[in-house]
Amino acid sequence: MEVIPAAAAAHDGQKQRFDLGVFVGDLPLDDDDAASDNESLEGLQQELEDCKNDQEVANILANGIKMRDYTKGVENSIRQVELDSIQDYITESENLVLLHDQISDCDNILSQMETVLTGFQTEIGSISSEIKVLQEKSMDMGLKLRNRKAAESKLSKFVEDIIVPPRMIDIIVDGEVNDEYMKTLEILSKKIKFIEADSMVKTSKALKDVQPEVERLRQKAVSKIFEFIIQKFYALRKPKTNIQILQQSVLKYKYTIVFLKEHAKEIYAEVRTAYIDTMNKVLSAHFRAYIQALEKLQLDIATSTDLLGVETRSTGYLFSIGKEPLKARSSVFALGERINVLKDIEQPALIPHISEAKSQKYPYEVLFRSLQKLLIDTATSEYLFSDDFFGEESLFQDIFAGPIQVVDEYFDAVLLNCYDAIGIMLMIRIIHQHQLIMFKRRIPCLDSYLDKVNMSLWPRFKMVFDLHLSSLRNANIKTLWEDDVHPHYVTRRYAEFTASLVHLNVEYGDGQLDLNLERLRMAIEDLLVKLAKMFPKPKMQTVFLINNYDLTIAILKEAGTEGGKTQLHFEEVLKSNIAIYVEEVLLEHFSDLIKFVKTRTSEDPASSSDKANIGDVEPLVKDFANRWKAAIELMHKDVITSFSNFLCGMEILKAALTQLLLYYTRLTECVKRVNGGSVLNKDLVSISSILYEIKKYSRTF
């Protein structure tokens, strides 16, 4: 069966419609039919309008196919398609039956599934409701759990804080005081504080059962701690006990003191008093014994008669009549090795029995340094222990009141009989260094003590210094004078004494000490001038002053100190006295020549004031030519015997010969200007010859 293509069928149908429209108007119609036909025509016309753009309709209209024929063809085609479809259905009938059965089975299965799913949906709805109920119950249970945990936490903490475990009772009552005991004490302290601090606890029934036990444990702990600590303190009283080591061993039990402070203040006060009393006595006895041992090592340096201006024989140390040999007496005014005590300021304190076994003796400043070093070290250790163990810095003052009193009494007695100015100044510097040491340690406990010692040393130094000053001002010239132009022993004392004090003042710049040294310099100068006047000849007086001034300068330089104003002053007076001596020694040998040059000649060659004649200059020229070498030799011997310092003597001789050369040069200039002076040329000594002699003596002196 042939199937008409859809496009062709559509084309034919459309053409058939147009054909129907063409012939409709030829049929006879009644009114109703006419009206209906009109409506149909309008509808048909509307369809034609709608399909006028269709290609198939356009083809039908274009080809002029009649609608009847086209419709008939379409009907035939449809009938053929229907027949074909029936045939296809018959052909596929078995498959359709099978498909129908399968669809029925599927429908049954789906019906069952629907039933199951419906039931499942119902159950899910029921479960969802139950889940909501469970969720609400869970939230409620969670809230209750949190509340119960919070209550349990507080309750467990309460029980833990208030309960007294049997183990704690055993340790507090029967246990030894050790690390475990310290930890148990801390737990007991927390329980006591908990009971006392929390008002809610005081109203609890559990407290009535626990509080008596806690109180008994507190009393037992306090009793045991008291006995334990007191025994430790009494151990400090045993002879030869190393206090610092024992204190360090006690420090690990310092919580016992904290416990007593917090829970037994009266017992703590007793323990504190016991420690103060024990350490006060122990340290006082320790320092008293140390001082007694030091006294055996003391080397007496100076007495009240060991003063600058005191005559040697009156002190008795030319013949070693004093307590100490002459070697020790030399340290009265000279610093020497005594300065080493400042270099050893950080060294440990002396051990008396070792020094005594070696038969060693020390100046008092060495013993003073040792005693003060022991004091500051002990004070530092005690201050730190008191602060660490008791937590009270003020405890130190009560403990050290006794030891400081022992040291003060001894020191005051020694200082009252001390006439060693250098030793006192060394002690002043020692105290200053100890103050610096304590400052570096940041330990202020001895500040007032060190200040007090320093304030007691300065007045004593001033008093002893004034004794030296008065001894120079009031010196007996007749007993001090010796018929010897060499340096006087008083000058050596003064120079050594001044050099020592200047050396000790270099780093400190004490203006008051400089002022006192200036007063002392003026006193020694006055004394030297008075002693010089005891010599009958002016030249001897000058030689005496030069020797003493030169010695003073030399000692100031040898001391390695900056002599300052004192040294500069003595250098000036030395220079002026050398000039005086040069004039005196030249006048002694060439008086006529010098008088003539000074009165009859002028240093200015162009001056017309010269009125000398050949008769005036001839004797001078011949006299000089005859004995100038011998005179220089005598001057040389005079210098050698007069001056103890050869270097100074060489300078003086060179100055004298140089001045002589200047005088003789002026004489020769005068001779050249005198009428007929040329006849004396043969007698004039050449300047080169004089210079040669000057160089010769410069080499041999």
Side-chain angles (χ1 to χ4, degrees), residues 129-382:
S129 300
E130 291 178 1
I131 288 174
K132 289 181 179 179
V133 173
L134 290 174
Q135 187 176 11
E136 292 175 357
K137 289 182 178 181
S138 175
M139 293 177 64
D140 184 55
M141 291 175 67
L143 179 61
K144 291 179 179 179
L145 179 62
R146 285 195 297 272
N147 293 336
R148 289 181 180 181
K149 283 184 177 180
E152 181 186 5
S153 176
K154 291 183 179 181
L155 185 60
S156 64
K157 187 176 185 307
F158 172 80
V159 172
E160 182 182 353
D161 289 340
I162 201 170
I163 196 172
V164 180
R167 176 63 179 166
M168 187 175 77
I169 297 174
D170 293 339
I171 293 173
I172 294 295
V173 175
D174 301 322
E176 295 182 358
V177 180
N178 51 25
D179 292 341
E180 185 181 14
Y181 195 89
M182 296 297 102
K183 294 177 182 177
T184 308
L185 269 185
E186 292 184 23
I187 296 172
L188 179 59
S189 176
K190 290 179 180 178
K191 292 183 183 297
I192 296 172
K193 290 178 181 177
F194 176 73
I195 292 173
E196 293 175 350
D198 197 332
S199 59
M200 296 296 293
V201 176
K202 295 180 180 180
T203 60
S204 65
K205 294 182 179 180
L207 180 62
K208 295 179 181 180
D209 297 331
V210 174
Q211 190 171 17
E213 295 298 327
V214 172
E215 178 60 23
R216 281 194 288 271
L217 285 178
R218 183 192 70 81
Q219 293 176 359
K220 183 62 179 178
V222 169
S223 175
K224 181 173 286 190
I225 291 170
F226 179 77
E227 293 177 2
F228 176 79
I229 295 297
I230 292 300
Q231 287 178 0
K232 291 290 184 182
F233 291 167
Y234 284 163
L236 295 169
R237 299 183 179 183
K238 295 180 181 179
K240 299 182 180 180
T241 299
N242 190 315
I243 297 174
Q244 281 75 27
I245 292 178
L246 186 57
Q247 285 177 336
Q248 291 302 315
S249 67
V250 172
L251 273 178
K252 62 181 180 179
Y253 304 110
K254 65 181 180 180
Y255 184 75
T256 58
I257 297 299
V258 176
F259 186 85
L260 292 179
K261 267 186 180 182
E262 294 177 345
H263 307 297
K265 293 183 179 179
E266 294 181 358
I267 302 300
Y268 168 75
E270 292 182 19
V271 170
R272 184 180 183 277
T273 303
Y275 180 76
I276 292 172
D277 182 63
T278 298
M279 290 307 298
N280 194 310
K281 292 178 180 178
V282 168
L283 293 178
S284 297
H286 178 67
F287 277 97
R288 193 175 289 110
Y290 189 75
I291 288 170
Q292 291 174 355
L294 287 182
E295 287 177 337
K296 299 177 183 178
L297 306 178
Q298 185 170 342
L299 177 66
D300 292 331
I301 297 294
T303 64
S304 59
T305 58
D306 293 319
L307 302 174
L308 293 175
V310 175
E311 197 267 326
T312 303
R313 289 183 293 274
S314 67
T315 61
Y317 51 79
L318 271 182
F319 304 98
S320 301
I321 297 175
K323 292 183 179 179
E324 307 300 336
L326 183 61
K327 182 179 179 182
R329 292 294 182 181
S330 65
S331 298
V332 175
F333 308 108
L335 183 60
E337 295 182 357
R338 297 177 72 180
I339 189 65
N340 291 336
V341 72
L342 296 179
K343 298 176 183 178
D344 299 335
I345 197 71
E346 291 277 10
Q347 293 300 314
L350 292 174
I351 302 175
H353 69 271
I354 294 178
S355 299
E356 188 175 359
K358 296 179 181 179
S359 300
Q360 293 177 324
K361 298 282 186 177
Y362 303 97
Y364 181 71
E365 68 269 8
V366 176
L367 307 183
F368 177 82
R369 183 210 69 85
S370 182
L371 178 60
Q372 298 300 321
K373 183 66 166 61
L374 180 64
L375 184 66
I376 65 173
D377 288 347
T378 306
T380 299
S381 175
E382 188 59 41

Side-chain angles (χ1 to χ4, degrees), residues 481-486 528 531-548 577 580-581 584-585 588 638 641-643:
W481 184 76
E482 298 174 351
D483 192 8
D484 187 359
V485 295
H486 289 84
L528 290 177
L531 290 172
K533 290 181 179 179
M534 298 293 289
F535 292 95
K537 295 181 180 180
K539 189 182 77 168
M540 300 299 289
Q541 297 176 7
T542 307
V543 170
F544 175 78
L545 292 175
I546 290 174
N547 280 329
N548 282 276
N577 278 275
I580 294 172
Y581 173 79
E584 289 174 347
V585 75
E588 185 177 340
D638 191 10
T641 56
S642 298
F643 300 103

Side-chain angles (χ1 to χ4, degrees), residues 456-475:
S456 63
L457 284 168
W458 273 108
R460 186 65 189 180
F461 172 79
K462 183 66 168 56
M463 189 274 290
V464 176
F465 187 90
D466 288 344
L467 289 177
H468 285 291
L469 182 61
S470 298
S471 71
L472 294 179
R473 290 176 174 176
N474 304 323

Side-chain angles (χ1 to χ4, degrees), residues 13-75:
Q14 189 173 7
K15 185 175 181 183
Q16 186 67 30
R17 287 179 193 168
F18 283 109
D19 289 340
L20 288 175
V22 171
F23 296 104
V24 166
D26 296 335
L27 297 177
L29 300 172
D30 54 15
D31 294 335
D32 294 333
D33 292 335
S36 176
D37 290 339
N38 289 333
E39 293 177 358
S40 298
L41 288 173
E42 291 177 359
L44 181 61
Q45 187 65 32
Q46 182 65 36
E47 288 181 3
L48 289 174
E49 287 295 329
D50 294 337
C51 297
K52 66 180 180 179
N53 294 327
D54 187 271
Q55 187 64 38
E56 192 65 29
V57 174
N59 290 333
I60 292 173
L61 295 176
N63 295 327
I65 299 174
K66 292 183 179 180
M67 292 299 293
R68 290 182 186 276
D69 295 335
Y70 187 78
T71 302
K72 191 180 289 185
V74 170
E75 288 178 353

